Amino acid sequence: MDRIDIMRAFVTVVAEGSFTQAADRLALSPQLVSKYVARLEQRLGTRLLNRTTRKVHATEEGVRYAERARQLLHDIDELELGLGDAHRQAQGRLRVSAPVSFATRHLALLLCDFQQAHGHVSVDLQLNDRKVDIVEEGFDVALRIGHLKSSSLIARRIAPIRLVICAAPEYLERHGTPGRPEELKQHRCLHYSYMEHDVGLPGDGALSCNNGDVLVEAAIRGAGIVIQPTFIAGPAIADGRLRVILPEHAPAPMALYAVYAHRTLLPGKIRSFVDFMDGYFGDPPGWDDFAQH
Protein backbone atom coordinates (compact mmCIF):
# COMPACT_ATOMS: atom_id res chain seq x y z
CA MET A 1 0.00 0.00 0.00
CA ASP A 2 1.18 3.50 -0.77
CA ARG A 3 2.11 5.31 2.45
CA ILE A 4 0.82 8.63 1.15
CA ASP A 5 -2.55 7.07 0.26
CA ILE A 6 -2.74 5.54 3.75
CA MET A 7 -1.84 8.87 5.36
CA ARG A 8 -4.42 10.72 3.26
CA ALA A 9 -7.11 8.16 4.15
CA PHE A 10 -6.42 8.53 7.87
CA VAL A 11 -6.44 12.35 7.79
CA THR A 12 -9.74 12.30 5.89
CA VAL A 13 -11.33 9.90 8.38
CA VAL A 14 -10.31 12.20 11.25
CA ALA A 15 -11.69 15.24 9.39
CA GLU A 16 -14.98 13.57 8.50
CA GLY A 17 -15.39 11.55 11.71
CA SER A 18 -16.67 8.63 9.65
CA PHE A 19 -15.22 5.87 7.49
CA THR A 20 -18.22 6.06 5.16
CA GLN A 21 -18.00 9.82 4.62
CA ALA A 22 -14.20 9.64 4.20
CA ALA A 23 -14.66 6.91 1.62
CA ASP A 24 -17.17 9.05 -0.31
CA ARG A 25 -14.79 12.01 -0.28
CA LEU A 26 -11.86 9.88 -1.49
CA ALA A 27 -13.96 7.88 -3.99
CA LEU A 28 -12.91 4.66 -2.27
CA SER A 29 -14.83 1.86 -0.61
CA PRO A 30 -15.35 2.08 3.19
CA GLN A 31 -13.70 -1.34 3.48
CA LEU A 32 -10.50 -0.09 1.79
CA VAL A 33 -10.36 3.03 3.96
CA SER A 34 -10.78 0.88 7.08
CA LYS A 35 -8.03 -1.41 5.84
CA TYR A 36 -5.73 1.57 5.28
CA VAL A 37 -6.24 2.83 8.84
CA ALA A 38 -5.77 -0.65 10.35
CA ARG A 39 -2.52 -1.07 8.42
CA LEU A 40 -1.29 2.32 9.65
CA GLU A 41 -2.07 1.48 13.30
CA GLN A 42 -0.35 -1.88 12.88
CA ARG A 43 2.78 -0.29 11.43
CA LEU A 44 2.94 2.39 14.14
CA GLY A 45 2.07 -0.05 16.92
CA THR A 46 -0.49 2.28 18.49
CA ARG A 47 -4.23 2.97 18.36
CA LEU A 48 -5.02 6.13 16.41
CA LEU A 49 -8.83 5.96 16.41
CA ASN A 50 -11.54 5.07 18.88
CA ARG A 51 -14.50 3.61 17.02
CA THR A 52 -18.12 3.64 18.18
CA THR A 53 -21.19 2.51 16.30
CA ARG A 54 -21.99 6.09 15.29
CA LYS A 55 -18.74 8.06 15.33
CA VAL A 56 -14.95 7.80 14.98
CA HIS A 57 -12.72 9.84 17.29
CA ALA A 58 -8.96 10.30 17.13
CA THR A 59 -6.92 9.25 20.15
CA GLU A 60 -4.30 11.62 21.55
CA GLU A 61 -1.67 9.89 19.37
CA GLY A 62 -4.08 10.04 16.44
CA VAL A 63 -4.55 13.78 16.85
CA ARG A 64 -0.78 14.38 16.85
CA TYR A 65 -0.28 12.12 13.85
CA ALA A 66 -3.16 13.71 11.94
CA GLU A 67 -1.76 17.23 12.48
CA ARG A 68 1.71 16.31 11.20
CA ALA A 69 0.32 14.21 8.37
CA ARG A 70 -2.00 17.01 7.26
CA GLN A 71 0.99 19.38 6.97
CA LEU A 72 3.05 16.80 5.08
CA LEU A 73 0.24 16.18 2.61
CA HIS A 74 -0.17 19.93 2.12
CA ASP A 75 3.56 20.27 1.38
CA ILE A 76 3.44 17.38 -1.08
CA ASP A 77 0.45 18.87 -2.88
CA GLU A 78 2.18 22.27 -3.11
CA LEU A 79 5.37 20.65 -4.40
CA GLU A 80 3.58 18.77 -7.15
CA LEU A 81 1.46 21.79 -8.06
CA GLY A 82 4.58 23.96 -8.30
CA LEU A 83 6.38 21.49 -10.54
CA GLY A 84 3.30 21.15 -12.69
CA ASP A 85 3.05 24.92 -13.04
CA ALA A 86 6.73 25.12 -13.98
CA HIS A 87 6.05 22.74 -16.85
CA ARG A 88 3.00 24.67 -17.99
CA GLN A 89 4.25 28.21 -17.44
CA ALA A 90 7.38 29.96 -18.69
CA GLN A 91 9.43 30.57 -15.56
CA GLY A 92 12.85 29.84 -14.10
CA ARG A 93 16.38 30.06 -15.49
CA LEU A 94 16.86 29.09 -19.15
CA ARG A 95 20.39 27.99 -20.11
CA VAL A 96 21.12 28.50 -23.80
CA SER A 97 24.20 27.67 -25.87
CA ALA A 98 24.63 29.55 -29.15
CA PRO A 99 27.26 30.16 -31.87
CA VAL A 100 29.41 33.20 -31.17
CA SER A 101 28.94 35.24 -34.35
CA PHE A 102 25.24 34.52 -34.73
CA ALA A 103 24.48 35.36 -31.12
CA THR A 104 26.58 38.53 -31.20
CA ARG A 105 24.75 39.83 -34.27
CA HIS A 106 21.21 38.52 -33.92
CA LEU A 107 20.29 37.18 -30.48
CA ALA A 108 20.26 40.29 -28.27
CA LEU A 109 17.04 41.68 -29.78
CA LEU A 110 15.35 38.27 -29.77
CA LEU A 111 16.20 37.72 -26.10
CA CYS A 112 14.96 41.18 -25.12
CA ASP A 113 11.69 40.58 -26.97
CA PHE A 114 11.36 37.11 -25.44
CA GLN A 115 11.83 38.39 -21.91
CA GLN A 116 9.33 41.17 -22.47
CA ALA A 117 6.80 38.46 -23.35
CA HIS A 118 7.95 36.07 -20.60
CA GLY A 119 9.10 38.18 -17.69
CA HIS A 120 9.47 35.25 -15.28
CA VAL A 121 12.25 33.61 -17.32
CA SER A 122 15.88 34.57 -16.74
CA VAL A 123 18.35 33.62 -19.48
CA ASP A 124 21.90 32.33 -19.09
CA LEU A 125 23.40 32.60 -22.60
CA GLN A 126 26.75 30.90 -23.23
CA LEU A 127 28.50 31.51 -26.55
CA ASN A 128 30.56 28.71 -28.04
CA ASP A 129 31.03 27.48 -31.60
CA ARG A 130 31.84 23.93 -30.55
CA LYS A 131 29.11 21.33 -30.34
CA VAL A 132 28.17 21.27 -26.67
CA ASP A 133 26.76 18.22 -24.91
CA ILE A 134 23.35 19.52 -23.85
CA VAL A 135 22.70 16.92 -21.16
CA GLU A 136 26.21 16.67 -19.71
CA GLU A 137 26.77 20.44 -19.65
CA GLY A 138 23.32 21.30 -18.33
CA PHE A 139 21.88 23.34 -21.21
CA ASP A 140 18.15 23.61 -21.83
CA VAL A 141 18.50 24.60 -25.49
CA ALA A 142 21.41 24.73 -27.94
CA LEU A 143 21.26 26.73 -31.17
CA ARG A 144 23.17 24.96 -33.92
CA ILE A 145 23.91 25.83 -37.52
CA GLY A 146 24.50 23.13 -40.10
CA HIS A 147 23.05 19.95 -41.52
CA LEU A 148 21.96 18.04 -38.43
CA LYS A 149 22.59 14.32 -38.32
CA SER A 150 20.11 11.98 -36.68
CA SER A 151 20.42 11.73 -32.91
CA SER A 152 18.34 11.19 -29.79
CA LEU A 153 17.95 14.96 -29.42
CA ILE A 154 14.94 16.93 -30.63
CA ALA A 155 15.63 19.66 -33.22
CA ARG A 156 13.36 22.36 -34.61
CA ARG A 157 14.34 24.30 -37.69
CA ILE A 158 14.30 28.02 -36.89
CA ALA A 159 15.66 29.78 -39.99
CA PRO A 160 17.53 29.08 -43.23
CA ILE A 161 21.25 29.87 -43.35
CA ARG A 162 22.67 30.75 -46.78
CA LEU A 163 26.38 30.51 -47.54
CA VAL A 164 28.25 32.64 -50.05
CA ILE A 165 31.74 32.52 -51.55
CA CYS A 166 33.23 36.00 -51.47
CA ALA A 167 36.37 38.09 -51.50
CA ALA A 168 37.39 41.75 -51.44
CA PRO A 169 37.34 43.51 -54.85
CA GLU A 170 41.00 44.46 -54.31
CA TYR A 171 41.97 40.80 -53.84
CA LEU A 172 40.14 39.78 -57.01
CA GLU A 173 41.79 42.56 -58.98
CA ARG A 174 45.25 41.39 -57.89
CA HIS A 175 44.73 37.62 -58.16
CA GLY A 176 41.88 37.26 -60.64
CA THR A 177 38.32 36.07 -60.19
CA PRO A 178 37.84 32.29 -60.20
CA GLY A 179 35.50 31.11 -62.96
CA ARG A 180 35.26 27.50 -61.77
CA PRO A 181 35.40 25.85 -58.33
CA GLU A 182 38.60 23.99 -59.31
CA GLU A 183 40.40 27.33 -59.58
CA LEU A 184 39.92 27.98 -55.86
CA LYS A 185 42.93 25.75 -55.21
CA GLN A 186 45.09 28.41 -56.85
CA HIS A 187 43.93 31.10 -54.42
CA ARG A 188 44.50 32.08 -50.83
CA CYS A 189 41.57 30.60 -48.94
CA LEU A 190 40.32 31.44 -45.49
CA HIS A 191 38.98 28.35 -43.76
CA TYR A 192 36.45 28.11 -40.94
CA SER A 193 37.71 25.43 -38.54
CA TYR A 194 34.33 23.92 -37.71
CA MET A 195 33.13 23.75 -41.32
CA GLU A 196 33.22 20.47 -43.21
CA HIS A 197 35.77 20.33 -46.03
CA ASP A 198 33.21 19.47 -48.70
CA VAL A 199 31.82 23.00 -48.95
CA GLY A 200 34.18 24.14 -51.70
CA LEU A 201 37.38 25.58 -50.23
CA PRO A 202 40.56 23.60 -49.61
CA GLY A 203 40.82 22.44 -46.01
CA ASP A 204 44.42 23.68 -45.58
CA GLY A 205 43.81 27.33 -46.44
CA ALA A 206 46.08 30.31 -45.94
CA LEU A 207 44.25 31.17 -42.73
CA SER A 208 42.19 28.91 -40.49
CA CYS A 209 40.06 30.23 -37.65
CA ASN A 210 37.12 29.07 -35.53
CA ASN A 211 35.36 32.45 -35.73
CA GLY A 212 33.53 33.68 -38.82
CA ASP A 213 33.76 37.38 -37.95
CA VAL A 214 37.55 37.20 -37.94
CA LEU A 215 37.56 35.46 -41.32
CA VAL A 216 35.17 37.98 -42.87
CA GLU A 217 37.25 40.88 -41.57
CA ALA A 218 40.39 39.25 -42.99
CA ALA A 219 38.66 38.80 -46.34
CA ILE A 220 37.61 42.46 -46.34
CA ARG A 221 41.28 43.37 -45.89
CA GLY A 222 42.25 41.32 -48.91
CA ALA A 223 43.59 38.20 -47.18
CA GLY A 224 41.79 35.78 -49.51
CA ILE A 225 38.56 34.02 -50.44
CA VAL A 226 36.11 32.95 -47.76
CA ILE A 227 32.87 31.00 -47.48
CA GLN A 228 30.65 32.44 -44.79
CA PRO A 229 26.93 32.77 -44.06
CA THR A 230 25.11 35.89 -45.13
CA PHE A 231 24.21 36.70 -41.53
CA ILE A 232 27.92 37.59 -41.12
CA ALA A 233 29.06 38.63 -44.61
CA GLY A 234 25.84 40.36 -45.73
CA PRO A 235 26.63 43.93 -44.64
CA ALA A 236 30.10 43.85 -46.27
CA ILE A 237 28.58 42.51 -49.48
CA ALA A 238 25.88 45.18 -49.46
CA ASP A 239 28.35 48.06 -49.15
CA GLY A 240 30.84 46.65 -51.64
CA ARG A 241 33.64 45.63 -49.28
CA LEU A 242 33.12 42.01 -50.38
CA ARG A 243 32.01 40.62 -53.71
CA VAL A 244 30.16 37.32 -54.20
CA ILE A 245 31.88 34.93 -56.62
CA LEU A 246 30.80 31.60 -58.10
CA PRO A 247 27.19 32.13 -56.90
CA GLU A 248 25.97 29.09 -58.84
CA HIS A 249 28.48 26.94 -56.92
CA ALA A 250 27.64 28.15 -53.45
CA PRO A 251 27.36 25.38 -50.85
CA ALA A 252 23.91 23.99 -50.14
CA PRO A 253 21.96 26.13 -47.65
CA MET A 254 22.07 25.08 -44.02
CA ALA A 255 19.71 26.00 -41.22
CA LEU A 256 19.60 27.32 -37.69
CA TYR A 257 18.15 24.72 -35.33
CA ALA A 258 16.98 24.80 -31.75
CA VAL A 259 18.07 21.53 -30.16
CA TYR A 260 16.81 20.19 -26.85
CA ALA A 261 16.74 16.88 -25.04
CA HIS A 262 13.09 15.81 -24.64
CA ARG A 263 9.83 16.13 -26.51
CA THR A 264 7.46 15.08 -23.71
CA LEU A 265 6.88 16.92 -20.41
CA LEU A 266 8.82 19.86 -21.81
CA PRO A 267 9.23 22.67 -19.24
CA GLY A 268 7.30 25.80 -20.11
CA LYS A 269 10.46 27.93 -20.31
CA ILE A 270 11.90 25.70 -23.08
CA ARG A 271 8.66 25.28 -24.98
CA SER A 272 7.97 29.02 -24.89
CA PHE A 273 11.49 29.92 -26.01
CA VAL A 274 11.49 27.50 -28.94
CA ASP A 275 8.00 28.59 -30.00
CA PHE A 276 9.04 32.24 -29.76
CA MET A 277 12.06 31.70 -32.02
CA ASP A 278 10.04 29.84 -34.63
CA GLY A 279 9.46 32.37 -37.42
CA TYR A 280 11.09 35.25 -35.53
CA PHE A 281 13.79 35.86 -38.17
CA GLY A 282 11.54 35.29 -41.20
CA ASP A 283 12.01 33.07 -44.26
CA PRO A 284 13.98 34.41 -45.99
CA PRO A 285 15.48 36.02 -42.90
CA GLY A 286 16.18 39.72 -42.67
CA TRP A 287 19.94 39.30 -42.88
CA ASP A 288 19.60 38.09 -46.48
CA ASP A 289 18.40 41.58 -47.41
CA PHE A 290 22.04 42.67 -47.16
CA ALA A 291 23.36 40.09 -49.59
CA GLN A 292 23.28 39.98 -53.35
CA HIS A 293 20.80 37.45 -54.70
Side-chain angles (χ1 to χ4, degrees), residues 136-151:
E136 288 292 327
E137 298 181 49
F139 286 103
D140 296 303
V141 180
L143 302 185
R144 291 180 180 167
I145 294 173
H147 305 285
L148 293 193
K149 298 177 175 62
S150 60
S151 73

PDB file of all heavy atoms in Angstrom, residues 136-151:
ATOM      1  N   GLU A 136      25.062  16.687 -20.616  1.00  0.00           N
ATOM      2  CA  GLU A 136      26.210  16.667 -19.712  1.00  0.00           C
ATOM      3  C   GLU A 136      26.547  18.058 -19.192  1.00  0.00           C
ATOM      4  O   GLU A 136      26.958  18.211 -18.037  1.00  0.00           O
ATOM      5  CB  GLU A 136      27.433  16.072 -20.429  1.00  0.00           C
ATOM      6  CG  GLU A 136      27.354  14.571 -20.654  1.00  0.00           C
ATOM      7  CD  GLU A 136      27.423  13.794 -19.352  1.00  0.00           C
ATOM      8  OE1 GLU A 136      28.120  14.256 -18.417  1.00  0.00           O
ATOM      9  OE2 GLU A 136      26.768  12.745 -19.249  1.00  0.00           O
ATOM     10  N   GLU A 137      26.372  19.084 -20.031  1.00  0.00           N
ATOM     11  CA  GLU A 137      26.767  20.437 -19.646  1.00  0.00           C
ATOM     12  C   GLU A 137      25.599  21.263 -19.107  1.00  0.00           C
ATOM     13  O   GLU A 137      25.757  22.439 -18.796  1.00  0.00           O
ATOM     14  CB  GLU A 137      27.426  21.141 -20.835  1.00  0.00           C
ATOM     15  CG  GLU A 137      28.692  20.429 -21.296  1.00  0.00           C
ATOM     16  CD  GLU A 137      29.376  21.121 -22.458  1.00  0.00           C
ATOM     17  OE1 GLU A 137      29.582  22.341 -22.384  1.00  0.00           O
ATOM     18  OE2 GLU A 137      29.694  20.443 -23.446  1.00  0.00           O
ATOM     19  N   GLY A 138      24.433  20.654 -19.011  1.00  0.00           N
ATOM     20  CA  GLY A 138      23.316  21.299 -18.329  1.00  0.00           C
ATOM     21  C   GLY A 138      22.630  22.413 -19.087  1.00  0.00           C
ATOM     22  O   GLY A 138      22.116  23.350 -18.471  1.00  0.00           O
ATOM     23  N   PHE A 139      22.585  22.321 -20.423  1.00  0.00           N
ATOM     24  CA  PHE A 139      21.883  23.338 -21.205  1.00  0.00           C
ATOM     25  C   PHE A 139      20.449  22.901 -21.461  1.00  0.00           C
ATOM     26  O   PHE A 139      20.162  21.722 -21.657  1.00  0.00           O
ATOM     27  CB  PHE A 139      22.583  23.578 -22.547  1.00  0.00           C
ATOM     28  CG  PHE A 139      23.865  24.352 -22.426  1.00  0.00           C
ATOM     29  CD1 PHE A 139      25.095  23.719 -22.509  1.00  0.00           C
ATOM     30  CD2 PHE A 139      23.839  25.715 -22.211  1.00  0.00           C
ATOM     31  CE1 PHE A 139      26.274  24.433 -22.385  1.00  0.00           C
ATOM     32  CE2 PHE A 139      25.006  26.448 -22.087  1.00  0.00           C
ATOM     33  CZ  PHE A 139      26.230  25.804 -22.172  1.00  0.00           C
ATOM     34  N   ASP A 140      19.541  23.883 -21.483  1.00  0.00           N
ATOM     35  CA  ASP A 140      18.150  23.610 -21.831  1.00  0.00           C
ATOM     36  C   ASP A 140      17.968  23.564 -23.342  1.00  0.00           C
ATOM     37  O   ASP A 140      17.232  22.719 -23.855  1.00  0.00           O
ATOM     38  CB  ASP A 140      17.229  24.682 -21.240  1.00  0.00           C
ATOM     39  CG  ASP A 140      17.238  24.683 -19.721  1.00  0.00           C
ATOM     40  OD1 ASP A 140      16.937  23.622 -19.143  1.00  0.00           O
ATOM     41  OD2 ASP A 140      17.538  25.724 -19.130  1.00  0.00           O
ATOM     42  N   VAL A 141      18.621  24.493 -24.038  1.00  0.00           N
ATOM     43  CA  VAL A 141      18.500  24.602 -25.490  1.00  0.00           C
ATOM     44  C   VAL A 141      19.870  24.942 -26.061  1.00  0.00           C
ATOM     45  O   VAL A 141      20.615  25.736 -25.466  1.00  0.00           O
ATOM     46  CB  VAL A 141      17.507  25.713 -25.904  1.00  0.00           C
ATOM     47  CG1 VAL A 141      17.394  25.805 -27.424  1.00  0.00           C
ATOM     48  CG2 VAL A 141      16.136  25.473 -25.297  1.00  0.00           C
ATOM     49  N   ALA A 142      20.204  24.343 -27.201  1.00  0.00           N
ATOM     50  CA  ALA A 142      21.406  24.725 -27.940  1.00  0.00           C
ATOM     51  C   ALA A 142      20.986  25.154 -29.343  1.00  0.00           C
ATOM     52  O   ALA A 142      20.195  24.465 -29.998  1.00  0.00           O
ATOM     53  CB  ALA A 142      22.394  23.568 -28.019  1.00  0.00           C
ATOM     54  N   LEU A 143      21.478  26.302 -29.788  1.00  0.00           N
ATOM     55  CA  LEU A 143      21.260  26.735 -31.165  1.00  0.00           C
ATOM     56  C   LEU A 143      22.429  26.238 -32.000  1.00  0.00           C
ATOM     57  O   LEU A 143      23.591  26.486 -31.651  1.00  0.00           O
ATOM     58  CB  LEU A 143      21.150  28.260 -31.237  1.00  0.00           C
ATOM     59  CG  LEU A 143      20.049  28.898 -30.400  1.00  0.00           C
ATOM     60  CD1 LEU A 143      19.978  30.389 -30.676  1.00  0.00           C
ATOM     61  CD2 LEU A 143      18.707  28.246 -30.670  1.00  0.00           C
ATOM     62  N   ARG A 144      22.114  25.542 -33.074  1.00  0.00           N
ATOM     63  CA  ARG A 144      23.165  24.957 -33.918  1.00  0.00           C
ATOM     64  C   ARG A 144      22.903  25.290 -35.373  1.00  0.00           C
ATOM     65  O   ARG A 144      21.757  25.309 -35.823  1.00  0.00           O
ATOM     66  CB  ARG A 144      23.237  23.441 -33.720  1.00  0.00           C
ATOM     67  CG  ARG A 144      23.757  23.044 -32.345  1.00  0.00           C
ATOM     68  CD  ARG A 144      23.819  21.553 -32.157  1.00  0.00           C
ATOM     69  NE  ARG A 144      24.321  21.213 -30.816  1.00  0.00           N
ATOM     70  CZ  ARG A 144      24.261  20.011 -30.280  1.00  0.00           C
ATOM     71  NH1 ARG A 144      23.736  19.011 -30.966  1.00  0.00           N
ATOM     72  NH2 ARG A 144      24.740  19.788 -29.071  1.00  0.00           N
ATOM     73  N   ILE A 145      23.984  25.522 -36.092  1.00  0.00           N
ATOM     74  CA  ILE A 145      23.913  25.829 -37.519  1.00  0.00           C
ATOM     75  C   ILE A 145      24.585  24.702 -38.283  1.00  0.00           C
ATOM     76  O   ILE A 145      25.698  24.297 -37.957  1.00  0.00           O
ATOM     77  CB  ILE A 145      24.609  27.171 -37.822  1.00  0.00           C
ATOM     78  CG1 ILE A 145      23.848  28.318 -37.158  1.00  0.00           C
ATOM     79  CG2 ILE A 145      24.713  27.397 -39.321  1.00  0.00           C
ATOM     80  CD1 ILE A 145      24.540  29.661 -37.257  1.00  0.00           C
ATOM     81  N   GLY A 146      23.895  24.184 -39.295  1.00  0.00           N
ATOM     82  CA  GLY A 146      24.498  23.132 -40.099  1.00  0.00           C
ATOM     83  C   GLY A 146      23.456  22.219 -40.688  1.00  0.00           C
ATOM     84  O   GLY A 146      22.279  22.557 -40.813  1.00  0.00           O
ATOM     85  N   HIS A 147      23.924  21.026 -41.062  1.00  0.00           N
ATOM     86  CA  HIS A 147      23.045  19.953 -41.516  1.00  0.00           C
ATOM     87  C   HIS A 147      23.038  18.935 -40.378  1.00  0.00           C
ATOM     88  O   HIS A 147      24.004  18.204 -40.194  1.00  0.00           O
ATOM     89  CB  HIS A 147      23.561  19.324 -42.807  1.00  0.00           C
ATOM     90  CG  HIS A 147      23.772  20.315 -43.919  1.00  0.00           C
ATOM     91  ND1 HIS A 147      22.733  20.859 -44.634  1.00  0.00           N
ATOM     92  CD2 HIS A 147      24.908  20.859 -44.422  1.00  0.00           C
ATOM     93  CE1 HIS A 147      23.211  21.698 -45.551  1.00  0.00           C
ATOM     94  NE2 HIS A 147      24.532  21.716 -45.436  1.00  0.00           N
ATOM     95  N   LEU A 148      21.977  18.892 -39.614  1.00  0.00           N
ATOM     96  CA  LEU A 148      21.960  18.041 -38.431  1.00  0.00           C
ATOM     97  C   LEU A 148      21.846  16.567 -38.805  1.00  0.00           C
ATOM     98  O   LEU A 148      21.037  16.193 -39.643  1.00  0.00           O
ATOM     99  CB  LEU A 148      20.802  18.429 -37.513  1.00  0.00           C
ATOM    100  CG  LEU A 148      20.899  19.800 -36.839  1.00  0.00           C
ATOM    101  CD1 LEU A 148      19.866  19.900 -35.736  1.00  0.00           C
ATOM    102  CD2 LEU A 148      22.292  20.054 -36.270  1.00  0.00           C
ATOM    103  N   LYS A 149      22.663  15.777 -38.153  1.00  0.00           N
ATOM    104  CA  LYS A 149      22.595  14.322 -38.316  1.00  0.00           C
ATOM    105  C   LYS A 149      21.602  13.774 -37.295  1.00  0.00           C
ATOM    106  O   LYS A 149      21.305  14.398 -36.286  1.00  0.00           O
ATOM    107  CB  LYS A 149      23.984  13.703 -38.129  1.00  0.00           C
ATOM    108  CG  LYS A 149      25.000  14.195 -39.154  1.00  0.00           C
ATOM    109  CD  LYS A 149      26.375  13.616 -38.872  1.00  0.00           C
ATOM    110  CE  LYS A 149      27.359  14.005 -39.969  1.00  0.00           C
ATOM    111  NZ  LYS A 149      27.549  15.453 -40.063  1.00  0.00           N
ATOM    112  N   SER A 150      21.092  12.584 -37.566  1.00  0.00           N
ATOM    113  CA  SER A 150      20.106  11.981 -36.677  1.00  0.00           C
ATOM    114  C   SER A 150      20.733  11.732 -35.308  1.00  0.00           C
ATOM    115  O   SER A 150      21.892  11.342 -35.193  1.00  0.00           O
ATOM    116  CB  SER A 150      19.592  10.666 -37.269  1.00  0.00           C
ATOM    117  OG  SER A 150      20.653   9.752 -37.433  1.00  0.00           O
ATOM    118  N   SER A 151      19.960  11.960 -34.264  1.00  0.00           N
ATOM    119  CA  SER A 151      20.417  11.725 -32.906  1.00  0.00           C
ATOM    120  C   SER A 151      19.191  11.557 -32.016  1.00  0.00           C
ATOM    121  O   SER A 151      18.057  11.650 -32.475  1.00  0.00           O
ATOM    122  CB  SER A 151      21.280  12.891 -32.407  1.00  0.00           C
ATOM    123  OG  SER A 151      20.472  14.010 -32.145  1.00  0.00           O
TER     124      SER A 151
END
